[in-house]
Amino acid sequence: MAEVLAGEHVHLTADAVYSRAQRLLPEISLATVYNTLNELVDMGEVLEISTGDGPRRYDPNATTPHHHLYCVGCGALRDVNPKGSDQLTLPDSQQHGFEVLDVEIVFRGLCPDCRTTATQTAMD
């Protein structure tokens, strides 16, 4: 599974992981892929990313703190390190008794290709 998830800015869906894994292990099942991904998430080896649109994605960059930039047009997802995010805190008065374990930020926008397409469509 490590070979399938290798690379920079890799954020595959379970179906994409399955498709890539089948090239290496034709006998692998989709259930095995889901089970393995869930185990990797539970172990902290892979991050599960929800963009709010479409299926969850899996990010092998689980050791370096980062956030994500998501294109609402094509679904591209990139790792980002915004300024000040390491200082982001929730005031005690807004924690409602929770112990905050993690913060996940997803910036949403249009990538250059989708922005160009949207501009061209608006001009037509």
Side-chain angles (χ1 to χ4, degrees):
M1 196 71 70
E3 292 175 40
V4 172
L5 289 169
E8 187 177 353
H9 301 289
V10 173
H11 303 94
L12 300 175
T13 64
D15 287 340
V17 171
Y18 174 61
S19 177
R20 287 184 177 192
Q22 274 193 310
R23 292 183 212 141
L24 300 171
L25 298 166
E27 68 279 359
I28 196 166
S29 71
L30 184 57
T32 299
V33 168
Y34 271 104
N35 290 336
T36 303
L37 287 170
N38 287 333
E39 287 178 24
L40 290 170
V41 169
D42 289 344
M43 293 178 353
E45 298 292 322
V46 172
L47 300 174
E48 187 177 63
I49 308 300
S50 175
T51 60
D53 300 338
R56 295 183 182 278
R57 309 255 192 112
Y58 296 89
D59 183 353
N61 184 5
T63 57
T64 306
H66 66 283
H67 300 290
H68 294 94
L69 178 61
Y70 174 67
C71 178
V72 298
C74 67
L77 190 62
R78 306 279 303 186
D79 293 346
V80 294
N81 294 295
K83 292 181 181 178
S85 65
D86 57 340
Q87 300 167 1
L88 185 65
T89 60
L90 188 60
D92 289 341
S93 63
Q94 293 186 29
Q95 289 187 19
H96 304 283
F98 281 63
E99 176 187 358
V100 177
L101 302 175
D102 190 24
V103 176
E104 181 180 322
I105 298 171
V106 177
F107 293 88
R108 289 174 178 75
L110 290 172
C111 70
D113 290 340
C114 290
R115 201 170 57 245
T116 299
T117 301
T119 302
Q120 289 174 348
T121 301
M123 295 172 68
D124 290 342

